[in-house]
Amino acid sequence: MPKGAALLDYHPSPPRSPPLAVPEDSKRHVSHYSVAPAYSCMTNFQPRKMRSSCQSAHFLRVALRLLPSKPAIRSKIVSASSSSPLSEETLSTSVSSNQITDFSLEQTDPAVLSRCEDLRYQVRGHRLDNPPNNTWNSSVITCSTPISHSTCQISGDTPASAVPSIMNSSIFPKLSCLHEVVIALGSNMGDRVETFDKALNMMKKAGVQVVCHAGLYESAPAYVTDQPKFLNSAVRARTNLDPRALLGVLKDIERSLGRIVNGVRYGPRPIDLDILFYGDVEFSDESLTLPHPRIWERPFVVAPLMDLYNSTLCDGNNIWIKRFEKAKCAWQLMGGDTQLCQDDLKRVLPIGGKLWQWSNRTYIMGILNITPDSFSDGGKYLSVQNAVAQAEALAAAGADIIDLGAQSTRPFATKLTSDEELKRLIPVVDAIKKLPSMESVWLSVDTFHSEVAKEAVKHGVHMVNDVSGGHLDPEMYSTVAKLCVPYIMMHMRGDPATMLQEKNILYKNVSADVGAELCKSLSKAESSGIPAWRIVVDPGIGFSKTCEQNVQLLGDLSGFRSGLASWSLAATKMPMLLGPSRKRFLGKICELEKAEDRDIATIGAVVAGIAQGADIVRVHNVKASIDAIRVADAIFKTKGLTRSLK
């Protein structure tokens, strides 16, 4: 474990605050036929104004509309209602949405209930081969699903028999378009991070396309406080499952991951998945309330929700703008970011089986080049023996991370194959992993080859540092997603051989442009399954930038962070790595030709970066830099002066 690190073991760790549950006093009665085993979602969903109906006339009309190709069943339905005032003429008459109101079963005529029960059992046994239009529009959704979701209680008190096995989302009717949803995740039992990973993969398989992740937060439990801390996050996703079908999918994932359906309310749980928002829908019945009713009282929900905001989502959408403003207001009333870094709520990143809280101090990444042609120390550590000796020296000097690179990324460097890179790298990794002094140090692999990343992690490396930001290997994102390790995503245009070509060094505003371009990489990475809480951003000092542009970028890191907000606020809060060490622009400023003479200049650049919120600094000479870094931390980090920049 790195020296002085604020780390928390996330393995056997149970519960968080209450599941995002529907309070008893907010539950409404819903139509008795909404739980029909055959077609449970014959329900009218209306954006902004959702209504439930228990009117038998409406149910029969929907049933007839759903079964136009089944004359035998249709005739049975009509005959079943023949003894009542509900004639077929009545059924074909349109009912205004204003006439559809909520009421309890107790208010319904027992004779009508009995006829509807008979009807439901006649319809239930017949499955439609071609369900009619299941479309979401401004007025109504008509859904006919073979599984009842209204019996799945958000509170976690659902009987096991009532929770269907629905991981195969093909059994659900699909709406005609995708809808934006926000889903909260919580866990405080077992390997909480691994459980999140599994839940996200299962959501993807079930037709829930996650496009953006919030950060990862550890929080003290609420309501029932005598239990372990929770991990919390949230995702923005798109799905064409209707709200009840989505609820059913999430409940089935919970059950598959070990959640006890009759567990203690607000008690420990391996996973808790809750729908916070479904488009602009407002809806309430006994199984589901949208938006979730207890969002605004829970910091561990509001913090991840804030992370999911972006200007694109809210552009022209008044509902999402209002939600963000409400979240922002709630967050400020709770204390804002000042409540982070406390025991009750911490933003963390999983690495090496621990939870890393990076904001209390600056972390030092020592550079170890296993190359013959690096610009600063090429050839010095090419042998395994020399590389291991240098790794020990970096660790002894105070490095928290050692970055191992077997491929030079200096301008115009020769590009190696992944096999050539691995030949240099793996023997050094294996030798370093045997050293007792390395137990408290994380290892990073500096590569843009996905195959190298995969093999290095297999041999014990903790994170992947990709100078290309995923652009030089189309398999990098999917590979890192499967590896479940932190991913350092750097900005670069072109490759080391072309990055200084004229087309690659043209910027309108270097800080804003670099942030905006990195957003595109973040979008692709998250869509590929790399959650925001595993990403570290790097503005790429020295890569595809002139000396003047490097100075401008280093002087406006807050502008770079602001540029990341066009993807999500979570991106602006990701750990930021800064790597100015011995770069050519420092030599130009200080008139120093030799790279190894630029360590003092490097310290100046590093301190400037720390003052603007850098969280990790990548340096060649850890021993020369560490005291300046500690002083900068004492000035900026302990007083929280950099938090407002994130």
Side-chain angles (χ1 to χ4, degrees):
M1 175 184 313
K3 305 167 186 63
L7 296 168
L8 304 157
D9 191 357
Y10 70 65
H11 284 299
S13 43
R16 133 196 125 164
S17 0
L20 303 181
V22 179
E24 292 297 330
D25 58 2
S26 72
K27 292 184 180 179
R28 291 186 185 173
H29 292 286
V30 289
S31 61
H32 59 283
Y33 61 79
S34 68
V35 297
Y39 301 107
S40 64
C41 273
M42 294 181 181
T43 307
N44 282 345
F45 287 105
Q46 297 179 348
R48 304 299 304 143
K49 186 68 177 175
M50 303 291 282
R51 298 178 174 88
S52 299
S53 172
C54 191
Q55 298 180 2
S56 54
H58 177 66
F59 169 71
L60 292 170
R61 190 164 49 258
V62 171
L64 289 171
R65 186 168 71 248
L66 290 174
L67 299 170
S69 61
K70 303 286 183 180
I73 301 174
R74 186 183 178 92
S75 64
K76 286 183 179 181
I77 293 174
V78 174
S79 63
S81 62
S82 60
S83 60
S84 74
L86 303 174
S87 64
E88 187 168 3
E89 180 181 350
T90 304
L91 297 178
S92 63
T93 304
S94 173
V95 175
S96 164
S97 62
N98 293 328
Q99 296 174 289
I100 301 174
T101 56
D102 298 323
F103 66 105
S104 66
L105 299 183
E106 289 78 4
Q107 295 172 302
T108 309
D109 185 327
V112 175
L113 281 177
S114 177
R115 285 194 298 274
C116 287
E117 281 293 314
D118 293 338
L119 249 174
R120 187 164 76 249
Y121 280 104
Q122 290 182 53
V123 174
R124 181 169 55 188
H126 298 271
R127 183 183 178 90
L128 294 181
D129 296 324
N130 297 301
N133 260 345
N134 294 310
T135 59
W136 181 287
N137 54 44
S138 60
S139 59
V140 71
I141 286 185
T142 303
C143 299
S144 55
T145 69
I147 293 173
S148 169
H149 305 302
S150 60
T151 54
C152 298
Q153 295 294 317
I154 286 183
S155 65
D157 301 328
T158 315
S161 60
V163 183
S165 179
I166 50 177
M167 283 310 300
N168 180 4
S169 66
S170 64
I171 66 176
F172 290 110
K174 301 297 190 296
L175 307 181
S176 61
C177 57
L178 294 173
H179 291 272
E180 191 93 22
V181 300
V182 176
I183 299 169
L185 300 89
S187 172
N188 74 339
M189 293 178 66
D191 188 331
R192 298 171 292 173
V193 175
E194 183 181 29
T195 300
F196 276 16
D197 290 332
K198 289 179 179 178
L200 292 173
N201 285 330
M202 293 169 82
M203 277 193 259
K204 182 178 180 181
K205 291 177 182 177
V208 182
Q209 178 191 355
V210 174
V211 294
C212 186
H213 306 71
L216 191 65
Y217 295 81
E218 185 172 61
S219 67
Y223 309 108
V224 178
T225 57
D226 187 18
Q227 56 179 321
K229 290 186 176 183
F230 276 83
L231 278 189
N232 308 282
S233 191
V235 296
R236 221 171 60 226
R238 297 183 183 125
T239 184
N240 58 3
L241 295 172
D242 69 64
R244 288 186 185 279
L246 177 59
L247 176 64
V249 164
L250 298 182
K251 292 299 158 189
D252 195 60
I253 291 173
E254 288 181 345
R255 186 182 63 176
S256 299
L257 293 175
R259 180 162 179 184
I260 300 172
V261 292
N262 291 316
V264 177
R265 185 176 176 83
Y266 300 150
R269 65 210 54 209
I271 189 67
D272 189 19
L273 303 172
D274 292 289
I275 307 170
L276 300 184
F277 299 110
Y278 186 106
D280 59 1
V281 165
E282 290 184 359
F283 169 73
S284 182
D285 70 10
E286 65 181 8
S287 66
L288 179 64
T289 298
L290 295 171
H292 196 283
R294 293 194 174 180
I295 293 172
W296 312 113
E297 66 186 57
R298 299 171 171 179
F300 58 83
V301 176
V302 177
L305 184 58
M306 286 280 292
D307 288 350
L308 296 176
Y309 171 80
N310 78 11
S311 55
T312 304
L313 179 67
C314 295
D315 186 22
N317 189 325
N318 289 331
I319 297 300
W320 286 100
I321 291 173
K322 288 177 181 178
R323 284 174 181 168
F324 171 70
E325 290 301 327
K326 190 172 182 179
K328 186 177 180 181
C329 181
W331 185 238
Q332 292 304 319
L333 288 172
M334 292 171 182
D337 281 0
T338 58
Q339 64 186 312
L340 297 177
C341 310
Q342 300 174 5
D343 286 340
D344 288 348
L345 191 63
K346 302 175 182 179
R347 190 181 292 126
V348 294
L349 183 148
I351 177 172
K354 305 291 181 181
L355 291 179
W356 172 38
Q357 183 189 345
W358 65 88
S359 59
N360 288 336
R361 68 177 182 88
T362 302
Y363 285 72
I364 304 173
M365 175 183 278
I367 300 168
L368 179 52
N369 291 316
I370 314 165
T371 60
D373 54 347
S374 290
F375 79 94
S376 172
D377 52 12
K380 282 188 177 181
Y381 312 115
L382 193 56
S383 71
V384 173
Q385 182 179 358
N386 289 347
V388 169
Q390 178 63 2
E392 288 186 296
L394 291 171
D400 302 294
I401 309 164
I402 295 177
D403 194 36
L404 303 165
Q407 159 78 64
S408 176
T409 53
R410 65 173 175 78
F412 314 113
T414 302
K415 186 177 179 181
L416 300 179
T417 65
S418 56
D419 288 341
E420 291 172 317
E421 198 173 332
L422 285 169
K423 258 182 209 180
R424 294 178 183 174
L425 179 70
I426 297 304
V428 173
V429 172
D430 289 342
I432 289 175
K433 290 295 292 183
K434 294 175 182 176
L435 299 174
S437 59
M438 293 295 130
E439 289 180 5
S440 61
V441 177
W442 293 318
L443 298 182
S444 168
V445 58
D446 181 0
T447 186
F448 46 74
H449 283 130
S450 61
E451 189 62 31
V452 174
K454 182 167 69 175
E455 286 301 313
V457 171
K458 195 181 292 185
H459 284 257
V461 167
H462 302 98
M463 63 176 72
V464 176
N465 182 11
D466 181 3
V467 297
S468 79
H471 292 302
L472 296 182
D473 187 337
E475 300 299 318
M476 182 61 89
Y477 293 149
S478 59
T479 298
V480 173
K482 292 173 185 174
L483 293 173
C484 295
V485 296
Y487 180 54
I488 302 171
M489 178 181 288
M490 196 192 80
H491 173 269
M492 179 175 67
R493 293 173 175 175
D495 59 34
T498 64
M499 63 182 176
L500 293 181
Q501 290 179 358
E502 186 175 356
K503 64 178 181 180
N504 289 326
I505 54 174
L506 295 176
Y507 298 90
K508 290 182 180 178
N509 179 310
V510 66
S511 295
D513 291 353
V514 167
E517 289 173 21
L518 203 57
C519 279
K520 295 178 182 178
S521 300
L522 288 171
S523 171
K524 293 176 183 176
E526 289 202 64
S527 296
S528 300
I530 305 175
W533 36 266
R534 276 204 173 96
I535 297 176
V536 177
V537 292
D538 181 346
I541 299 290
F543 289 83
S544 59
K545 294 146 189 101
T546 65
C547 293
E548 292 75 15
Q549 288 165 349
N550 284 315
V551 173
Q552 291 169 10
L553 179 57
L554 186 56
D556 188 21
L557 293 178
S558 59
F560 163 69
R561 276 203 189 269
S562 297
L564 297 173
S566 63
W567 173 239
S568 72
L569 286 187
T572 70
K573 302 169 186 176
M574 292 171 177
M576 179 169 65
L577 184 147
L578 197 66
S581 186
R582 297 181 179 178
K583 294 286 173 70
R584 186 174 55 153
F585 79 98
L586 297 176
K588 184 176 180 180
I589 293 170
C590 301
E591 298 181 351
L592 296 170
E593 186 64 30
K594 293 182 179 179
E596 56 267 33
D597 292 337
R598 301 171 189 162
D599 286 337
I600 296 176
T602 296
I603 292 169
V606 162
V607 170
I610 294 171
Q612 296 179 79
D615 300 293
I616 308 170
V617 292
R618 185 176 182 272
V619 297
H620 292 84
N621 193 335
V622 173
K623 187 175 182 179
S625 307
I626 193 163
D627 287 342
I629 292 169
R630 287 171 177 164
V631 171
D633 279 352
I635 296 170
F636 301 109
K637 300 272 182 175
T638 57
K639 294 183 179 179
L641 297 180
T642 63
R643 285 181 200 156
S644 61
L645 300 174
K646 300 180 184 180

